[in-house]
Amino acid sequence: MEIKEVKIPVPWGHIAVKTWGNERDPIILVVHGWVDNAGSFDTLIPLLPTSYYYYCMDLPGHGRSSHLESSLPLVPSTKNKGKL
C-alpha cells in the first residue's frame, strides 16, 4: 500500500500527515494516542483492507508536526477522567 507524507501549513509551523492507499477510496481517520505519533500505524495499516484511504495526522508537538507556541498549550483534560 502506498504511503505518502504531507505537511499542512498552520500559523505555528506545520501539521505532518501520513496517508496510506488511494485518495479516491472512502476515508478512515486514524488518530494516535497522547504519547504516540502517526508512525505507530506503519505496521498495522498494511494488514487492513486496501479498499480504504487511511489518513493520520501527527498532533501538534508529536512525530513530525511542529510544536505549538507556548501561548497555545496542549494538555490532557482530566475533566471526564473516570466517567467513560
Side-chain angles (χ1 to χ4, degrees):
M1 190 179 308
E2 180 185 353
I3 300 174
K4 283 199 283 187
E5 295 189 31
V6 187
K7 290 182 179 179
I8 300 172
V10 291
W12 62 89
H14 68 271
I15 294 292
V17 176
K18 210 172 212 187
T19 66
W20 294 262
N22 186 329
E23 58 190 41
R24 292 185 296 271
D25 288 335
I27 296 173
I28 293 182
L29 178 62
V30 184
V31 181
H32 65 74
W34 186 251
V35 293
D36 232 330
N37 63 64
S40 302
F41 299 103
D42 287 348
T43 55
L44 173 66
I45 299 294
L47 303 174
L48 300 177
T50 58
S51 55
Y52 295 98
Y53 182 59
Y54 300 94
Y55 188 96
C56 185
M57 60 187 133
D58 279 325
L59 298 175
H62 294 259
R64 297 183 179 180
S65 286
S66 301
H67 287 262
L68 290 173
E69 297 172 3
S70 60
S71 62
L72 299 170
L74 180 63
V75 295
S77 171
T78 57
K79 183 178 180 182
N80 293 316
K81 186 175 184 178
K83 295 181 183 177
L84 299 175

